Each structure stands twice: as C-alpha cells, then as structure tokens.
Amino acid sequence: MRPTHRRLAATAAGLVLLPVALVGCGIGGGDNKAEPTPKPERAPAEEAAARSRERVQAYLDAMTAKDVAAGRSQLCALLHDGFDLGATGPNGDFADHFQVPEAAITDIRPGPLGQEVSVSVSVTAGKRTVTRPLVFTVTRDGSDWCIAGEAPTGPPGVEAPPTGVAPTPAS
C-alpha cells in the first residue's frame, strides 16, 4: 500500500469508529437526560478525619509489628529519605531496642497544615516503659492521604521541638 492509501484507510477507519466513540462519551445516541451527580458518601471533613485515622493507625500498627516498609508507605514521599535514614536508628520509631506494647489515637482535629492526629504511644526500652503523646500531621498528597509530620507534644504551654518522624526516647 502506498502512503496515500494508508492515510485514506486510516481516515475511513476513524470515521467509522467516531460515532461509537461519541456514544461511549455520552455524546449522541440514546436520550441525553441529565443524571444527578452522585453525592459523596461522606462530607469532606468526615472524609479527612477518616483517612487521617486510617493512615496513622496503619503507622502505629507498623511500629508495633516493626514493619518498616508498612510504616514508610504511610508517609508522604518527601519524608521517605529522612525516614530511611532514621527509622531504625537509635532514636527511630522502628529501632530494635524499642517495643511498642500500646498505641492509641486520642484525638483528630483540623490543623493549619492538615489533620492533626494525637496519639498516646507506650514505648518499652529494656525494663522501662514510658508513654509519650505525639501528634501526626496528615495531609492530602494528590488523590491520596499521607503522614506529613510527627512531633512530640508536651504539657500545655510548653513548645516541643519537632523531630521529624522519630520520637525522642525517654531519658
């Protein structure tokens, strides 16, 4: 076939398929009654709280199970490098000498950078167990939700320094 014949054949095939494509897109064919747009299952605030709870609970479960890959997958991509460097280090959430016998979500509320999920984490190192309050910031990254930060919280009025994704162990 010559190039002009190929072009004519391709054009003809395109014209034959065009009506099928338009009907598939909802243009032409059948009745064009406007269907009501489906309502979201949850309000945006409820959705944000639910997704934030899911992400943080999955992270806490990963800490308890010492599943570094599962913990990493809950974090925003920007935190992956820092997590990889510190997660199993001496002060990391997944350090071998720490055990997490108990972790619970205590509160979820909107914050300036996303949903703030407060948790209480009991950490055992040797014979000593310490319970630490932490706050995770969960945000939307594209179409998905992820943990954007973790910081210890202290008594009211005392500003705790942010520590990335690794809590500071008890002294």
Side-chain angles (χ1 to χ4, degrees):
M1 253 186 175
R2 286 194 224 162
T4 54
H5 288 114
R6 286 186 196 143
R7 241 181 306 192
L8 284 173
T11 303
L15 290 174
V16 168
L17 294 176
L18 183 63
V20 173
L22 291 176
V23 169
C25 293
I27 300 173
D31 56 6
N32 287 332
K33 292 180 185 174
E35 293 183 26
T37 56
K39 292 184 180 181
E41 292 180 26
R42 300 185 240 198
E46 291 172 2
E47 178 76 12
R51 297 293 181 200
S52 297
R53 175 180 291 280
E54 290 169 8
R55 285 297 183 179
V56 171
Q57 187 61 56
Y59 188 81
L60 295 174
D61 292 345
M63 276 178 36
T64 302
K66 297 286 187 203
D67 187 344
V68 177
R72 184 181 196 269
S73 70
Q74 304 310 313
L75 302 176
C76 296
L78 290 173
L79 297 180
H80 287 181
D81 290 340
F83 178 83
D84 293 343
L85 291 172
T88 59
N91 294 330
D93 287 352
F94 295 84
D96 287 335
H97 60 280
F98 290 149
Q99 297 300 318
V100 181
E102 195 175 339
I105 295 173
T106 58
D107 188 31
I108 301 173
R109 64 181 59 188
L113 301 175
Q115 294 292 311
E116 292 181 353
V117 182
S118 299
V119 301
S120 175
V121 178
S122 294
V123 178
T124 301
K127 294 181 180 180
R128 187 168 181 214
T129 300
V130 176
T131 301
R132 293 285 183 221
L134 300 171
V135 65
F136 289 89
T137 301
V138 181
T139 190
R140 193 171 197 141
D141 184 16
S143 64
D144 205 3
W145 292 83
C146 59
I147 296 173
E150 173 186 341
T153 57
V158 176
E159 184 77 21
T163 61
V165 295
T168 305
S171 305

Coordinates of all heavy atoms in Angstrom, one line a residue, residues 55-153:
R55 N -4.5 6.3 58.1 CA -3.1 6.4 57.9 C -2.3 6.3 59.2 O -1.3 5.6 59.3 CB -2.7 7.7 57.2 CG -3.1 7.8 55.8 CD -2.3 6.7 55.0 NE -2.6 6.8 53.6 CZ -2.1 6.1 52.7 NH1 -1.2 5.1 53.1 NH2 -2.4 6.2 51.5
V56 N -2.7 7.0 60.2 CA -2.0 7.0 61.5 C -2.1 5.6 62.2 O -1.1 5.1 62.7 CB -2.4 8.1 62.4 CG1 -1.8 8.0 63.8 CG2 -2.0 9.5 61.8
Q57 N -3.3 5.0 62.1 CA -3.5 3.7 62.7 C -2.6 2.6 62.0 O -2.0 1.8 62.6 CB -4.9 3.2 62.7 CG -5.2 1.9 63.4 CD -4.8 2.1 64.9 OE1 -5.3 2.9 65.6 NE2 -3.9 1.2 65.4
A58 N -2.5 2.8 60.7 CA -1.6 1.8 59.9 C -0.1 2.1 60.3 O 0.6 1.1 60.5 CB -1.8 2.0 58.4
Y59 N 0.2 3.3 60.6 CA 1.6 3.6 61.0 C 1.9 3.0 62.4 O 2.9 2.4 62.6 CB 1.9 5.1 61.0 CG 3.3 5.5 61.2 CD1 4.3 5.4 60.2 CD2 3.8 5.9 62.5 CE1 5.6 5.7 60.4 CE2 5.1 6.2 62.7 CZ 6.0 6.1 61.7 OH 7.3 6.4 61.9
L60 N 0.9 3.2 63.3 CA 1.1 2.7 64.7 C 1.1 1.2 64.6 O 2.0 0.6 65.4 CB -0.1 3.2 65.5 CG -0.2 4.7 65.8 CD1 -1.4 5.0 66.6 CD2 1.1 5.2 66.5
D61 N 0.3 0.5 63.8 CA 0.4 -0.9 63.7 C 1.7 -1.4 63.1 O 2.3 -2.4 63.6 CB -0.8 -1.4 62.8 CG -2.1 -1.2 63.4 OD1 -2.3 -1.0 64.6 OD2 -3.1 -1.3 62.6
A62 N 2.3 -0.6 62.2 CA 3.6 -0.9 61.6 C 4.7 -0.8 62.7 O 5.6 -1.6 62.8 CB 3.9 -0.1 60.4
M63 N 4.6 0.2 63.5 CA 5.5 0.4 64.6 C 5.5 -0.8 65.6 O 6.5 -1.3 66.0 CB 5.3 1.7 65.4 CG 5.8 2.9 64.8 SD 5.5 4.5 65.7 CE 5.4 4.1 67.4
T64 N 4.3 -1.2 65.9 CA 4.1 -2.3 66.9 C 4.7 -3.6 66.3 O 5.4 -4.3 67.0 CB 2.6 -2.5 67.2 OG1 2.2 -1.2 67.8 CG2 2.4 -3.6 68.2
A65 N 4.5 -3.8 65.0 CA 4.9 -5.0 64.3 C 6.4 -4.9 63.8 O 6.9 -5.9 63.3 CB 4.0 -5.3 63.1
K66 N 7.0 -3.7 64.0 CA 8.3 -3.5 63.4 C 8.4 -3.7 61.9 O 9.4 -4.2 61.4 CB 9.4 -4.4 64.1 CG 9.5 -4.1 65.6 CD 10.2 -2.8 65.9 CE 10.5 -2.7 67.3 NZ 10.7 -1.4 67.7
D67 N 7.4 -3.3 61.2 CA 7.3 -3.5 59.8 C 7.7 -2.1 59.2 O 6.8 -1.2 58.9 CB 5.9 -3.9 59.4 CG 5.8 -4.2 57.9 OD1 6.7 -3.8 57.1 OD2 4.8 -4.9 57.5
V68 N 8.9 -1.9 58.9 CA 9.5 -0.7 58.4 C 8.8 -0.3 57.1 O 8.4 0.9 56.8 CB 11.0 -0.7 58.3 CG1 11.6 0.6 57.7 CG2 11.6 -1.0 59.6
A69 N 8.7 -1.2 56.1 CA 8.1 -0.9 54.8 C 6.7 -0.4 55.0 O 6.2 0.5 54.3 CB 8.2 -2.2 53.9
A70 N 5.9 -1.1 55.8 CA 4.5 -0.7 56.0 C 4.4 0.7 56.6 O 3.6 1.5 56.3 CB 3.7 -1.6 56.9
G71 N 5.4 1.0 57.6 CA 5.4 2.4 58.1 C 5.8 3.4 57.1 O 5.2 4.5 57.0
R72 N 6.8 3.1 56.3 CA 7.2 4.1 55.3 C 6.1 4.4 54.3 O 6.0 5.5 53.8 CB 8.4 3.4 54.5 CG 9.0 4.4 53.5 CD 10.2 3.6 52.8 NE 11.1 4.5 52.1 CZ 10.9 4.8 50.8 NH1 9.9 4.3 50.1 NH2 11.8 5.6 50.2
S73 N 5.3 3.4 54.0 CA 4.2 3.6 53.0 C 3.1 4.5 53.4 O 2.4 5.0 52.6 CB 3.6 2.2 52.6 OG 2.9 1.7 53.6
Q74 N 3.1 4.8 54.7 CA 2.1 5.7 55.2 C 2.5 7.2 55.2 O 1.8 8.1 55.3 CB 1.7 5.4 56.7 CG 1.3 4.0 56.9 CD 0.2 3.6 56.0 OE1 -0.8 4.3 55.7 NE2 0.3 2.4 55.4
L75 N 3.8 7.4 54.9 CA 4.4 8.8 54.9 C 4.3 9.4 53.5 O 4.4 8.7 52.5 CB 5.9 8.7 55.3 CG 6.1 8.1 56.7 CD1 7.6 8.0 56.9 CD2 5.4 8.9 57.8
C76 N 4.3 10.7 53.5 CA 4.4 11.5 52.2 C 5.8 11.2 51.6 O 6.8 11.0 52.3 CB 4.2 13.0 52.5 SG 2.5 13.4 53.1
A77 N 5.8 11.3 50.3 CA 7.1 11.0 49.6 C 8.3 11.8 50.1 O 9.4 11.4 50.1 CB 6.9 11.1 48.1
L78 N 8.0 13.1 50.4 CA 9.1 14.0 50.9 C 9.8 13.5 52.1 O 10.9 13.8 52.4 CB 8.5 15.4 51.1 CG 8.1 16.2 49.8 CD1 7.5 17.5 50.2 CD2 9.3 16.4 49.0
L79 N 9.1 12.7 52.9 CA 9.7 12.2 54.2 C 10.4 10.9 54.0 O 11.1 10.4 55.0 CB 8.6 12.0 55.2 CG 7.8 13.3 55.7 CD1 6.8 12.9 56.7 CD2 8.8 14.3 56.2
H80 N 10.3 10.2 52.9 CA 10.9 8.9 52.7 C 12.4 8.9 53.0 O 12.9 8.0 53.7 CB 10.6 8.3 51.3 CG 9.2 7.9 51.2 ND1 8.7 7.4 50.0 CD2 8.1 7.9 52.1 CE1 7.4 7.1 50.2 NE2 7.0 7.4 51.4
D81 N 13.2 9.8 52.4 CA 14.6 9.8 52.6 C 15.0 9.9 54.1 O 15.8 9.2 54.6 CB 15.3 10.9 51.8 CG 15.3 10.6 50.3 OD1 15.1 9.4 49.9 OD2 15.4 11.6 49.5
G82 N 14.4 10.9 54.8 CA 14.7 11.0 56.2 C 14.2 9.8 57.0 O 14.9 9.4 58.0
F83 N 13.1 9.2 56.6 CA 12.6 8.0 57.3 C 13.6 6.9 57.1 O 14.0 6.2 58.1 CB 11.3 7.6 56.8 CG 10.7 6.4 57.4 CD1 10.1 6.4 58.6 CD2 10.8 5.2 56.7 CE1 9.5 5.2 59.1 CE2 10.3 4.0 57.2 CZ 9.7 4.0 58.4
D84 N 14.1 6.7 55.9 CA 15.1 5.7 55.6 C 16.3 5.8 56.4 O 16.9 4.8 56.9 CB 15.4 5.6 54.1 CG 14.2 5.2 53.2 OD1 13.2 4.7 53.8 OD2 14.3 5.5 52.0
L85 N 16.8 7.1 56.6 CA 18.0 7.3 57.4 C 17.8 7.1 58.9 O 18.7 6.7 59.6 CB 18.5 8.7 57.2 CG 19.0 9.0 55.8 CD1 19.3 10.5 55.6 CD2 20.3 8.2 55.5
G86 N 16.6 7.4 59.4 CA 16.5 7.4 60.9 C 15.5 6.4 61.5 O 15.5 6.2 62.7
A87 N 14.7 5.7 60.7 CA 13.6 4.9 61.3 C 14.1 3.7 62.2 O 13.5 3.5 63.2 CB 12.8 4.3 60.1
T88 N 15.2 3.1 61.8 CA 15.8 2.0 62.6 C 17.0 2.4 63.4 O 17.6 1.6 64.0 CB 16.1 0.8 61.7 OG1 17.1 1.2 60.7 CG2 14.9 0.3 61.0
G89 N 17.3 3.7 63.4 CA 18.4 4.3 64.1 C 18.1 4.3 65.6 O 17.1 3.9 66.0
P90 N 19.1 4.7 66.4 CA 18.9 4.7 67.9 C 17.7 5.4 68.4 O 17.1 5.0 69.5 CB 20.2 5.3 68.4 CG 21.0 5.8 67.3 CD 20.3 5.3 66.0
N91 N 17.2 6.4 67.8 CA 16.0 7.2 68.2 C 14.8 7.0 67.3 O 13.9 7.7 67.4 CB 16.4 8.7 68.4 CG 17.4 8.9 69.4 OD1 17.4 8.2 70.4 ND2 18.2 9.9 69.3
G92 N 14.9 6.1 66.4 CA 13.9 5.9 65.4 C 12.6 5.2 65.9 O 12.7 4.4 66.8
D93 N 11.5 5.4 65.2 CA 10.3 4.7 65.6 C 10.4 3.2 65.5 O 9.7 2.5 66.2 CB 9.1 5.2 64.7 CG 8.7 6.6 65.0 OD1 9.1 7.2 66.0 OD2 7.9 7.1 64.2
F94 N 11.3 2.7 64.7 CA 11.4 1.3 64.4 C 12.7 0.7 65.0 O 13.1 -0.4 64.5 CB 11.2 1.0 62.9 CG 9.9 1.3 62.4 CD1 9.6 2.6 62.0 CD2 8.9 0.4 62.3 CE1 8.3 3.0 61.6 CE2 7.6 0.7 61.8 CZ 7.3 2.0 61.5
A95 N 13.3 1.4 65.9 CA 14.6 0.9 66.5 C 14.4 -0.4 67.2 O 13.4 -0.7 67.8 CB 15.1 1.9 67.5
D96 N 15.4 -1.3 67.0 CA 15.3 -2.7 67.6 C 15.1 -2.7 69.1 O 14.4 -3.6 69.6 CB 16.5 -3.5 67.2 CG 16.6 -3.9 65.7 OD1 15.5 -3.9 65.1 OD2 17.6 -4.1 65.2
H97 N 15.7 -1.8 69.8 CA 15.6 -1.8 71.3 C 14.4 -1.2 71.8 O 14.1 -1.3 73.0 CB 16.9 -1.1 71.9 CG 17.0 0.3 71.5 ND1 17.5 0.7 70.3 CD2 16.7 1.4 72.2 CE1 17.5 2.0 70.2 NE2 17.0 2.5 71.4
F98 N 13.5 -0.7 71.0 CA 12.2 -0.2 71.4 C 11.1 -1.2 71.1 O 11.1 -1.8 70.1 CB 11.8 1.1 70.7 CG 12.6 2.3 71.0 CD1 12.8 3.3 70.0 CD2 13.1 2.5 72.3 CE1 13.5 4.4 70.3 CE2 13.8 3.7 72.5 CZ 14.0 4.6 71.6
Q99 N 10.2 -1.4 72.0 CA 9.0 -2.2 71.8 C 7.8 -1.2 72.0 O 7.9 -0.3 72.8 CB 8.9 -3.3 72.8 CG 10.0 -4.3 72.6 CD 10.0 -5.0 71.2 OE1 9.0 -5.3 70.7 NE2 11.2 -5.1 70.7
V100 N 6.8 -1.4 71.3 CA 5.6 -0.6 71.4 C 4.4 -1.5 71.8 O 3.7 -2.0 71.0 CB 5.3 0.2 70.1 CG1 4.0 1.1 70.2 CG2 6.5 1.0 69.6
P101 N 4.2 -1.6 73.1 CA 3.2 -2.5 73.6 C 1.8 -1.9 73.4 O 0.8 -2.6 73.4 CB 3.5 -2.8 75.1 CG 4.3 -1.6 75.5 CD 5.1 -1.1 74.2
E102 N 1.7 -0.6 73.4 CA 0.4 0.0 73.3 C 0.5 1.4 72.5 O 1.4 2.2 72.8 CB -0.1 0.3 74.7 CG -1.6 0.6 74.8 CD -2.0 0.7 76.2 OE1 -1.4 0.2 77.1 OE2 -3.1 1.4 76.4
A103 N -0.4 1.6 71.6 CA -0.5 2.9 70.9 C -2.0 3.1 70.6 O -2.6 2.2 70.1 CB 0.3 2.8 69.6
A104 N -2.4 4.3 70.9 CA -3.9 4.6 70.6 C -4.0 6.0 70.1 O -3.3 7.0 70.6 CB -4.7 4.4 71.9
I105 N -5.0 6.2 69.2 CA -5.4 7.5 68.7 C -6.3 8.2 69.8 O -7.2 7.5 70.2 CB -6.0 7.4 67.4 CG1 -5.1 6.9 66.3 CG2 -6.6 8.8 67.0 CD1 -5.7 6.6 65.0
T106 N -5.9 9.4 70.2 CA -6.7 10.0 71.2 C -7.6 11.2 70.7 O -8.6 11.6 71.4 CB -5.8 10.6 72.4 OG1 -4.8 11.5 71.8 CG2 -5.1 9.4 73.0
D107 N -7.2 11.8 69.6 CA -8.0 12.9 69.1 C -7.6 13.2 67.6 O -6.5 12.9 67.2 CB -7.6 14.2 69.9 CG -8.5 15.4 69.6 OD1 -9.7 15.2 69.2 OD2 -8.0 16.5 69.7
I108 N -8.6 13.7 66.9 CA -8.3 14.1 65.5 C -9.0 15.5 65.3 O -10.2 15.6 65.6 CB -8.9 13.1 64.4 CG1 -8.3 11.7 64.6 CG2 -8.7 13.6 63.0 CD1 -8.9 10.7 63.8
R109 N -8.2 16.4 64.8 CA -8.8 17.8 64.6 C -8.1 18.4 63.4 O -6.9 18.1 63.1 CB -8.7 18.6 65.8 CG -7.3 18.9 66.3 CD -7.3 19.7 67.5 NE -8.0 19.0 68.5 CZ -8.3 19.4 69.7 NH1 -8.0 20.6 70.1 NH2 -8.9 18.7 70.6
P110 N -8.8 19.4 62.7 CA -8.1 20.1 61.7 C -7.0 21.0 62.2 O -7.2 21.5 63.3 CB -9.2 20.9 61.0 CG -10.5 20.6 61.8 CD -10.2 19.7 62.9
G111 N -5.9 21.1 61.5 CA -4.8 22.0 61.9 C -4.4 22.9 60.8 O -4.9 22.8 59.7
P112 N -3.4 23.7 61.0 CA -3.0 24.6 59.9 C -2.4 24.0 58.7 O -2.4 24.5 57.6 CB -2.0 25.6 60.6 CG -1.6 24.8 61.8 CD -2.7 23.9 62.2
L113 N -1.8 22.8 58.9 CA -1.1 22.1 57.8 C -1.8 20.8 57.4 O -1.3 20.1 56.5 CB 0.3 21.8 58.2 CG 1.2 23.0 58.6 CD1 2.6 22.6 59.1 CD2 1.3 23.9 57.4
G114 N -2.9 20.5 57.9 CA -3.7 19.3 57.6 C -4.4 18.8 58.9 O -4.6 19.5 59.8
Q115 N -4.8 17.5 58.9 CA -5.4 17.0 60.0 C -4.3 16.6 61.1 O -3.3 16.1 60.7 CB -6.1 15.7 59.6 CG -7.3 15.9 58.7 CD -8.4 16.6 59.4 OE1 -8.9 16.2 60.5 NE2 -8.9 17.6 58.7
E116 N -4.6 17.0 62.3 CA -3.7 16.7 63.4 C -4.3 15.5 64.2 O -5.4 15.6 64.7 CB -3.5 17.9 64.3 CG -2.7 19.0 63.6 CD -2.5 20.2 64.4 OE1 -3.0 20.3 65.6 OE2 -1.8 21.1 64.0
V117 N -3.5 14.4 64.2 CA -4.0 13.2 64.9 C -3.1 13.0 66.1 O -1.9 12.8 66.0 CB -3.9 12.0 63.9 CG1 -4.4 10.7 64.6 CG2 -4.6 12.2 62.7
S118 N -3.7 13.2 67.3 CA -3.0 13.0 68.5 C -3.0 11.5 68.9 O -4.1 10.9 68.8 CB -3.6 13.8 69.7 OG -3.6 15.2 69.3
V119 N -1.9 11.0 69.4 CA -1.8 9.6 69.8 C -1.1 9.5 71.1 O -0.3 10.5 71.5 CB -1.1 8.8 68.8 CG1 -1.8 8.8 67.4 CG2 0.4 9.2 68.6
S120 N -1.3 8.4 71.8 CA -0.5 8.1 73.0 C 0.2 6.8 72.7 O -0.4 5.8 72.4 CB -1.5 7.9 74.2 OG -0.8 7.5 75.3
V121 N 1.5 6.8 72.8 CA 2.4 5.7 72.5 C 3.2 5.2 73.7 O 3.9 6.1 74.3 CB 3.3 6.0 71.3 CG1 4.2 4.8 71.0 CG2 2.5 6.4 70.1
S122 N 3.0 4.0 74.1 CA 3.8 3.4 75.2 C 5.0 2.8 74.5 O 4.9 1.9 73.6 CB 3.0 2.4 76.0 OG 2.0 3.0 76.7
V123 N 6.2 3.2 75.0 CA 7.5 2.6 74.4 C 8.2 1.9 75.6 O 8.4 2.5 76.6 CB 8.3 3.7 73.8 CG1 9.6 3.2 73.3 CG2 7.6 4.5 72.7
T124 N 8.7 0.7 75.3 CA 9.4 0.0 76.3 C 10.8 -0.2 75.8 O 11.1 -0.6 74.6 CB 8.8 -1.4 76.5 OG1 7.5 -1.3 77.0 CG2 9.6 -2.2 77.6
A125 N 11.8 0.2 76.6 CA 13.2 0.0 76.3 C 13.8 -0.6 77.5 O 13.9 0.0 78.6 CB 13.9 1.4 76.0
G126 N 14.2 -1.9 77.3 CA 14.7 -2.7 78.5 C 13.5 -2.9 79.4 O 12.5 -3.5 79.0
K127 N 13.7 -2.5 80.7 CA 12.7 -2.8 81.7 C 11.8 -1.5 81.9 O 10.8 -1.6 82.7 CB 13.3 -3.2 83.0 CG 14.0 -4.5 82.9 CD 14.6 -4.9 84.3 CE 15.3 -6.2 84.2 NZ 15.9 -6.6 85.5
R128 N 12.1 -0.5 81.2 CA 11.4 0.8 81.4 C 10.4 1.1 80.4 O 10.7 0.9 79.2 CB 12.4 1.9 81.4 CG 11.9 3.3 81.8 CD 12.9 4.3 82.1 NE 12.3 5.5 82.5 CZ 12.8 6.7 82.1 NH1 13.9 6.8 81.5 NH2 12.2 7.8 82.5
T129 N 9.2 1.4 80.8 CA 8.1 1.8 79.8 C 7.7 3.2 80.1 O 7.5 3.7 81.2 CB 6.9 0.9 80.0 OG1 7.3 -0.5 79.8 CG2 5.8 1.3 79.1
V130 N 7.6 4.0 79.0 CA 7.3 5.4 79.0 C 6.2 5.6 78.0 O 6.2 5.1 76.9 CB 8.5 6.3 78.7 CG1 8.1 7.7 78.6 CG2 9.6 6.0 79.6
T131 N 5.2 6.4 78.4 CA 4.1 6.8 77.5 C 4.3 8.2 77.0 O 4.5 9.1 77.8 CB 2.7 6.6 78.2 OG1 2.6 5.3 78.6 CG2 1.6 7.0 77.2
R132 N 4.3 8.3 75.7 CA 4.6 9.7 75.1 C 3.4 10.1 74.2 O 2.9 9.3 73.4 CB 5.8 9.6 74.2 CG 7.1 9.4 75.0 CD 7.5 10.7 75.7 NE 8.8 10.5 76.3 CZ 9.0 11.0 77.5 NH1 8.1 11.7 78.1 NH2 10.2 10.8 78.1
P133 N 3.0 11.3 74.4 CA 2.0 11.9 73.5 C 2.7 12.4 72.2 O 3.7 13.0 72.3 CB 1.3 13.0 74.3 CG 2.4 13.4 75.3 CD 3.3 12.2 75.5
L134 N 2.1 12.1 71.1 CA 2.6 12.5 69.8 C 1.5 13.1 69.0 O 0.3 12.8 69.2 CB 3.2 11.4 69.0 CG 4.4 10.6 69.6 CD1 4.7 9.4 68.8 CD2 5.6 11.5 69.7
V135 N 1.9 13.9 68.1 CA 0.9 14.4 67.1 C 1.4 14.2 65.7 O 2.5 14.5 65.4 CB 0.5 15.9 67.3 CG1 1.6 16.9 67.1 CG2 -0.7 16.3 66.5
F136 N 0.6 13.6 64.9 CA 0.9 13.3 63.5 C 0.1 14.3 62.7 O -1.1 14.6 62.9 CB 0.5 11.9 63.0 CG 1.3 10.8 63.6 CD1 1.0 10.3 64.8 CD2 2.4 10.4 62.9 CE1 1.8 9.2 65.4 CE2 3.2 9.4 63.4 CZ 2.9 8.8 64.7
T137 N 0.7 14.9 61.7 CA 0.1 15.8 60.7 C -0.2 15.0 59.5 O 0.8 14.4 58.9 CB 0.9 17.0 60.4 OG1 1.1 17.7 61.6 CG2 0.2 17.9 59.4
V138 N -1.4 14.8 59.1 CA -1.8 14.1 57.9 C -2.4 15.0 56.9 O -3.2 15.9 57.2 CB -2.8 13.0 58.2 CG1 -3.2 12.1 57.0 CG2 -2.3 12.1 59.3
T139 N -2.0 14.9 55.6 CA -2.4 15.8 54.6 C -2.7 15.1 53.3 O -2.4 13.9 53.2 CB -1.3 16.9 54.3 OG1 -1.9 17.9 53.5 CG2 -0.1 16.3 53.7
R140 N -3.4 15.7 52.4 CA -3.7 15.1 51.2 C -2.5 15.4 50.2 O -2.1 16.5 50.1 CB -5.0 15.7 50.6 CG -5.5 14.9 49.5 CD -6.9 15.4 49.1 NE -7.5 14.4 48.3 CZ -8.7 14.0 48.4 NH1 -9.5 14.6 49.2 NH2 -9.2 13.1 47.6
D141 N -2.1 14.3 49.5 CA -1.0 14.5 48.6 C -1.5 13.9 47.3 O -1.6 12.7 47.0 CB 0.2 13.7 49.0 CG 1.4 13.8 48.1 OD1 1.4 14.8 47.3 OD2 2.4 13.0 48.2
G142 N -2.0 14.8 46.4 CA -2.6 14.4 45.2 C -4.0 13.8 45.5 O -4.8 14.4 46.2
S143 N -4.2 12.6 45.1 CA -5.5 12.0 45.4 C -5.5 11.1 46.7 O -6.5 10.5 47.0 CB -6.0 11.1 44.2 OG -5.1 10.0 44.0
D144 N -4.3 11.0 47.3 CA -4.2 10.1 48.5 C -3.8 10.9 49.7 O -3.5 12.1 49.6 CB -3.1 9.1 48.2 CG -3.3 7.8 49.0 OD1 -4.3 7.7 49.7 OD2 -2.4 6.9 48.9
W145 N -3.9 10.3 50.8 CA -3.6 10.9 52.1 C -2.3 10.3 52.6 O -2.0 9.1 52.4 CB -4.7 10.7 53.1 CG -6.0 11.4 52.8 CD1 -6.9 11.0 51.9 CD2 -6.4 12.7 53.2 NE1 -7.9 11.9 51.8 CE2 -7.6 13.0 52.6 CE3 -5.8 13.6 54.1 CZ2 -8.3 14.2 52.9 CZ3 -6.5 14.8 54.4 CH2 -7.7 15.0 53.8
C146 N -1.5 11.1 53.3 CA -0.2 10.6 53.9 C 0.2 11.4 55.1 O -0.3 12.5 55.3 CB 0.9 10.7 52.8 SG 1.2 12.3 52.2
I147 N 1.0 10.8 55.9 CA 1.6 11.5 57.1 C 2.7 12.4 56.6 O 3.6 12.0 56.0 CB 2.1 10.4 58.1 CG1 1.0 9.6 58.6 CG2 2.8 11.1 59.3 CD1 1.4 8.4 59.4
A148 N 2.5 13.7 57.0 CA 3.4 14.7 56.6 C 4.4 15.1 57.7 O 5.3 15.9 57.5 CB 2.7 16.0 56.1
G149 N 4.1 14.7 58.9 CA 5.0 15.0 60.1 C 4.6 14.3 61.3 O 3.4 13.9 61.5
E150 N 5.5 14.3 62.3 CA 5.3 13.7 63.6 C 6.1 14.5 64.6 O 7.2 14.8 64.3 CB 5.8 12.2 63.6 CG 5.8 11.6 65.0 CD 6.4 10.2 65.0 OE1 6.6 9.6 63.9 OE2 6.8 9.8 66.0
A151 N 5.4 14.8 65.7 CA 6.1 15.6 66.7 C 5.6 15.2 68.1 O 4.5 14.9 68.2 CB 5.9 17.1 66.4
P152 N 6.5 15.3 69.0 CA 6.1 15.0 70.4 C 5.3 16.2 70.9 O 5.4 17.3 70.4 CB 7.4 14.9 71.2 CG 8.4 15.6 70.4 CD 8.0 15.6 69.0
T153 N 4.4 16.0 71.8 CA 3.6 17.1 72.4 C 4.0 17.0 73.9 O 4.3 16.0 74.5 CB 2.1 16.9 72.2 OG1 1.7 15.6 72.8 CG2 1.7 17.0 70.8

